[in-house]
Amino acid sequence: MGSSPIVVSGSLGTRNRPNSKSKNDPCFSSSGFVYLLVSFVALGSIAGIYVRFMMTPNVHAGISSIGCKEDDEGSWSIGVFYGDSPFSLKPIEDMNIWRDKKAAWPVANPVITCASASVAGVSSNFVADPFLYVQGDVFYLFFETKNSITMQGDIGVARSTDKGASWEQLGIALDEDWHLSYPYVFEYNDNVYMLPEGRAKGQLRLYRAVNFPMKWTLEKIIMKKPLVDLFIIPHDGKYWLFGSDHSGIGAQYNAQLEIWYSRSPLGPWRPHKKNPIYNTDKSMGARNGGRPFLFDGHLYRVGQDDGETYGRRVRLFKIEVLTTDRFEEVEVPTGLKESIKGRNAWNGARSHHLDVQRLSSGEWVGVMDGDRVSSGDASRRFHLGCASVLGVAALVVLFGVLLGAVKGLVPLSWCPHNIGKRSDASLDWERSSLFYSRMRLFCSHLNRASSSLRASIKPNSCSGSLVLTLIFLVTVVLMCTGVNYIYGGSGAHEAYPLHGQYSQFTLLTMTYDARIWNLKMYVNHYSRCSSVREIVVVWNKGQPPELSEFDSAVPVRIRVEERNSLNNRFKVDPSIKTRAVLELDDDIMMPCDDVERGFKVWREHPERIVGFYPRLANGSPLKYRAEKHARKHNGYNMILTGAAFMDTKMAFEMYWSKEAAPGREVVDNLFNCEDVLLNFLYANASSSNTVEYVKPAWAIDTSKFTGVAISKNTQIHYGLRSSCLQKFSEMYGSITNRKSEFNRRMDGWDV
């Protein structure tokens, strides 16, 4: 029995009985093969639809063909921070620095990414370990950049003449045949030195600048040890070298710290009597995480918390005793606020390096690296994806067994009728192989179990049909999950850079007391989007909620209006700190990636209304029609401002101008058409295109679930808007000749 072949479909024959079918019958004639082929095509189609409509695109696609590849070490980038002290650092976006040429209103972190380096011609997967060197008003930033081709670290350098708001990529300052990182740069005797980590070489190599910042020469090998993340500082008449040697016997990786001292950075170096200073827990900050600094007469050291994942966060320590035989330090708060936007924040998952320095003005500047995913994320997702695909295969076979299309759970042959007679040597090997016999016996038991399973579940019964439906749904979910893990990236909705720079916008919505449920879900979702800086709620009617009722990752401000008017949506608001405003109704839910794409397009065309719902007003008399009509005529001349980006100053001042007063009166009388009015005002103020469309991957109207939709009767709603079109045409001129076609941009986002 143990030697009988187990088959997928067709009749179960033994090796001694000749096959009743012709030996020339093709393998694909079996019902099992046909079933598996159909299952593969069906699940592949479902996965294709999921990829097309649900998966987040790669924000770096098209930026560079040589850089920004997915890397298991992460997707590190670099941000700039400012403060009155090293304990009150805030990100550059809080400084409200605007850069018109870069379309950054305001400039936002990160300021340097793999895309920054790749656009400059440097193949880079990520940038990390930043160190500042300040010469007057010029900042030089040295950092590790991981080469996408050689897969080793090089030392890159960038320059800023505007205090870190924008950076010019100068290229690779130091490139060796081994991995380099942690480029600690310092001055000594009127020379500039760099002490990079190069543990693969097994030496501490000190380089001197011969043509700063791009040309360096090896000054001296100061120690033959494979130290990582090291620095040299002067203190009490000596020079002190801090580093970690993970190569020693018993050394705990990322939990070990050693100290050496000398009369000169060039050595010779003597070990501290307490070495190793630490060799315990990798979450305790033993491994260095940046440049030490002096503040109020005290020396501070930056360390890495590598407990949960490599580089989870930085920890700060005040050094209280540093002598040749004693070392004591205590941890102090960093004052840095961690982002709660998760993977949508550039540093949402981890940050392991901080370099702070005091400027001649007395202000403190800091550079920090950050990552949106944990260490090993790419491998973890690949393994989970493969496990999901294996689960799909198992469920497909199980489904086929219950339907009767597959005759055995563990087939030993795809074409049983073509097996033929095996040789005597093969039979002798099978009889003598204990492993082979046990495997066939195990498979036989499994196939008997499959028959019993089908008999007990009875697919033709109601309970059997329910089981089949459940298996099918789980299979589809696993298939989409596997595809998402393998091909869907980290799952982060990243911001899209423009000219290598990022910015932020204000999210504004108008609502009232009957729509609290919508608003809470709205705030929870959109506050996590990468570029959202603040959410402003225009409260038109009823008792406003308390701010404590919202789960938000950004500040929420409720602006209570005296009267219920749709004109309040575009009221001039001096408290808004960004040039861009996304007017978005509280009943529209869409992915953060769609929002970020819309923001990117608006930054390219800030003089336009850029939105997600196109409309075409045409005919005689003018009629207001939906997107279906616009697509039929391959064009649009209006964008719904309930989901659109606009210039806060331009749009709001235009809407509240003296010329717009008659239009605002129409809006108040009809309690409708405020977005139609703004479209007419934009068109009246410019002879070029004033609207731009971005297609969302998907959008849900949540008001359908609550019964509080503003426009319940579409026919009446469209009738009022058609009336507005005719009135506004008389006031501000027609917009029928302002038609923009779909799919005219190169990015493909307006199909």
Side-chain angles (χ1 to χ4, degrees):
M1 182 182 293
S3 61
S4 297
I6 299 170
V7 298
V8 175
S9 61
S11 56
L12 290 169
T14 65
R15 68 176 183 271
N16 295 321
R17 178 155 44 113
N19 199 324
S20 60
K21 295 186 179 182
S22 169
K23 292 183 179 181
N24 295 323
D25 287 346
C27 176
F28 55 78
S29 64
S30 67
S31 62
F33 180 83
V34 172
Y35 163 76
L36 292 175
L37 180 62
V38 171
S39 299
F40 172 78
V41 172
L43 289 172
S45 300
I46 292 172
I49 294 172
Y50 176 80
V51 169
R52 171 67 179 81
F53 293 102
M54 299 300 293
M55 277 177 47
T56 303
N58 177 13
V59 302
H60 300 304
I63 292 178
S64 173
S65 60
I66 61 172
C68 294
K69 304 293 191 300
E70 187 171 63
D71 198 296
D72 215 34
E73 290 190 71
S75 56
W76 295 93
S77 51
I78 298 170
V80 175
F81 297 75
Y82 286 98
D84 296 329
S85 80
F87 303 99
S88 61
L89 296 175
K90 294 181 179 180
I92 194 170
E93 48 263 32
D94 288 356
M95 301 297 103
N96 208 34
I97 300 172
W98 289 26
R99 286 289 176 268
D100 289 341
K101 292 183 179 180
K102 297 287 188 178
W105 314 290
V107 175
N109 281 328
V111 295
I112 297 180
T113 67
C114 62
S116 309
S118 297
V119 168
V122 177
S123 170
S124 175
N125 276 4
F126 62 77
V127 292
D129 293 353
F131 281 101
L132 270 177
Y133 183 82
V134 180
Q135 281 187 340
D137 295 330
V138 181
F139 290 179
Y140 292 93
L141 185 66
F142 295 86
F143 52 88
E144 173 196 352
T145 173
K146 186 172 182 180
N147 191 292
S148 305
I149 300 172
T150 65
M151 299 302 289
Q152 75 175 24
D154 301 323
I155 304 304
V157 60
R159 177 173 55 202
S160 174
T161 57
D162 53 11
K163 297 179 64 176
S166 61
W167 294 86
E168 175 192 3
Q169 297 295 318
L170 301 180
I172 299 300
L174 189 61
D175 180 9
E176 296 283 16
D177 294 333
W178 54 90
H179 175 84
L180 297 173
S181 63
Y182 208 83
Y184 181 69
V185 179
F186 64 97
E187 282 188 16
Y188 175 68
N189 283 351
D190 297 326
N191 287 312
V192 182
Y193 292 92
M194 182 195 299
L195 185 64
E197 175 198 317
R199 60 177 166 175
K201 187 67 172 176
Q203 301 171 342
L204 298 192
R205 298 166 69 91
L206 184 65
Y207 297 83
R208 177 174 52 84
V210 294
N211 188 7
F212 184 86
M214 295 301 297
K215 189 174 182 180
W216 302 76
T217 186
L218 177 63
E219 181 75 2
K220 186 178 183 180
I221 298 174
I222 62 174
M223 195 182 301
K224 292 185 177 181
K225 288 180 71 70
L227 293 182
V228 300
D229 296 356
L230 55 151
F231 61 74
I232 297 174
I233 55 168
H235 180 71
D236 283 350
K238 295 183 178 64
Y239 283 86
W240 304 85
L241 188 151
F242 286 60
S244 299
D245 183 1
H246 298 152
S247 65
I249 298 176
Q252 300 295 318
Y253 192 72
N254 289 343
Q256 195 256 16
L257 176 68
E258 297 181 13
I259 300 176
W260 290 262
Y261 60 93
S262 173
R263 292 291 181 184
S264 162
L266 304 180
W269 294 93
R270 296 181 179 180
H272 195 279
K273 291 185 178 180
K274 295 292 185 179
N275 278 348
I277 303 298
Y278 299 125
N279 192 31
T280 53
D281 187 345
K282 60 184 179 181
S283 68
M284 297 303 294
R287 183 169 179 172
N288 293 320
R291 186 190 305 271
F293 59 89
L294 279 169
F295 180 70
D296 284 349
H298 298 287
L299 182 62
Y300 294 86
R301 182 183 71 88
V302 184
Q304 297 181 31
D305 180 346
D306 294 320
E308 301 172 24
T309 181
Y310 170 67
R312 174 62 188 89
R313 63 175 64 86
V314 296
R315 302 178 70 170
L316 199 55
F317 302 89
K318 182 170 74 171
I319 298 177
E320 297 190 324
V321 179
L322 176 57
T323 64
T324 57
D325 57 1
R326 291 182 61 200
F327 178 77
E328 295 179 11
E329 63 179 6
V330 295
E331 186 172 6
V332 296
T334 63
L336 293 167
K337 184 179 179 181
E338 290 190 19
S339 172
I340 58 176
K341 289 190 177 186
R343 294 191 174 198
N344 290 353
W346 71 277
N347 58 349
R350 50 186 181 154
S351 182
H352 77 340
H353 185 102
L354 172 66
D355 180 18
V356 294
Q357 296 187 39
R358 189 177 184 180
L359 303 177
S360 58
S361 62
E363 186 179 22
W364 287 79
V365 60
V367 286
M368 177 181 286
D369 60 12
D371 195 0
R372 63 182 72 252
V373 298
S374 57
S375 179
D377 180 76
S379 292
R380 181 188 65 86
R381 286 188 283 105
F382 178 76
H383 293 145
L384 288 174
C386 291
S388 298
V389 172
L390 289 175
V392 168
L395 289 174
V396 166
V397 173
L398 177 60
F399 195 86
V401 166
L402 295 179
L403 287 179
V406 176
K407 303 301 182 183
L409 280 176
V410 188
L412 297 185
S413 171
W414 294 107
C415 305
H417 49 279
N418 285 335
I419 292 176
K421 185 176 180 180
R422 285 171 286 178
S423 66
D424 292 338
S426 175
L427 293 174
D428 291 340
W429 178 84
E430 291 176 9
R431 295 190 187 98
S432 63
S433 174
L434 180 62
F435 174 77
Y436 179 81
S437 300
R438 288 182 176 179
M439 281 298 298
R440 292 190 65 83
L441 182 61
F442 175 72
C443 294
S444 298
H445 288 321
L446 279 180
N447 285 319
R448 288 199 201 99
S450 69
S451 301
S452 302
L453 182 65
R454 187 168 187 272
S456 61
I457 290 181
K458 299 177 181 178
N460 294 329
S461 65
C462 291
S463 60
S465 299
L466 182 62
V467 170
L468 287 174
T469 302
L470 181 62
I471 292 175
F472 174 76
L473 293 176
V474 173
T475 302
V476 170
V477 171
L478 271 181
M479 184 68 181
C480 294
T481 301
V483 169
N484 190 61
Y485 274 130
I486 296 174
Y487 298 107
S490 66
H493 294 288
E494 300 182 45
Y496 288 77
L498 181 63
H499 306 309
Q501 202 120 37
Y502 296 84
S503 190
Q504 293 183 316
F505 63 88
T506 300
L507 186 63
L508 188 147
T509 190
M510 185 171 62
T511 190
Y512 60 105
D513 54 357
R515 298 163 68 89
I516 291 291
W517 180 82
N518 284 66
L519 184 61
K520 288 182 178 179
M521 183 170 59
Y522 175 99
V523 169
N524 178 276
H525 172 64
Y526 288 114
S527 69
R528 268 74 183 175
C529 295
S530 182
S531 299
V532 174
R533 176 167 181 167
E534 180 189 28
I535 297 178
V536 177
V537 180
V538 179
W539 195 261
N540 260 7
K541 186 175 68 175
Q543 181 65 31
E546 297 293 332
L547 294 180
S548 58
E549 297 182 44
F550 298 111
D551 177 12
S552 179
V554 300
V556 177
R557 178 164 56 92
I558 300 177
R559 198 178 76 203
V560 180
E561 301 293 345
E562 294 181 359
R563 58 189 293 260
N564 186 10
S565 170
L566 295 181
N567 290 321
N568 293 331
R569 181 192 292 273
F570 305 118
K571 183 175 288 186
V572 177
D573 188 345
S575 298
I576 292 177
K577 300 180 179 64
T578 63
R579 180 174 175 182
V581 167
L582 171 59
E583 292 269 5
L584 187 63
D585 290 344
D586 64 337
D587 54 10
I588 296 177
M589 298 295 291
M590 65 176 68
C592 284
D593 181 67
D594 287 336
V595 173
E596 297 293 345
R597 288 191 293 124
F599 185 40
K600 165 72 158 35
V601 174
W602 178 83
R603 291 172 67 199
E604 295 171 342
H605 307 286
E607 74 286 353
R608 301 178 187 176
I609 301 174
V610 177
F612 304 94
Y613 292 93
R615 296 290 185 263
L616 178 62
N618 63 356
S620 181
L622 271 176
K623 285 189 177 181
Y624 181 89
R625 293 182 174 95
E627 182 177 341
K628 183 178 180 180
H629 177 79
R631 290 194 175 278
K632 182 179 179 181
H633 291 79
N634 190 33
Y636 57 95
N637 52 20
M638 293 176 55
I639 291 290
L640 286 188
T641 59
F645 284 93
M646 60 196 69
D647 185 326
T648 175
K649 184 177 178 63
M650 175 181 173
F652 294 177
E653 290 185 357
M654 184 186 301
Y655 193 88
W656 285 91
S657 66
K658 182 179 178 180
E659 292 76 15
R664 295 197 303 272
E665 186 176 349
V666 172
V667 171
D668 276 336
N669 290 337
L670 298 178
F671 205 77
N672 206 322
C673 302
E674 80 285 0
D675 54 343
V676 179
L677 174 58
L678 188 65
N679 275 270
F680 269 87
L681 294 174
Y682 261 77
N684 186 56
S686 174
S687 59
S688 61
N689 289 341
T690 56
V691 291
E692 197 76 29
Y693 167 64
V694 177
K695 180 179 174 59
W698 54 264
I700 299 174
D701 183 355
T702 59
S703 67
K704 304 298 184 184
F705 305 107
T706 63
V708 292
I710 293 176
S711 306
K712 296 181 180 179
N713 191 316
T714 303
Q715 188 174 357
I716 295 176
H717 178 61
Y718 277 32
L720 288 173
R721 287 174 168 253
S722 295
S723 175
C724 291
L725 288 174
Q726 298 170 29
K727 293 179 180 180
F728 293 155
S729 293
E730 296 173 0
M731 295 177 184
Y732 308 108
S734 176
I735 61 172
T736 55
N737 61 341
R738 295 302 188 90
K739 181 178 172 183
S740 298
E741 294 183 352
F742 293 101
N743 197 23
R744 60 187 175 84
R745 291 203 312 268
M746 296 297 294
D747 55 28
W749 293 348
D750 60 341
V751 295

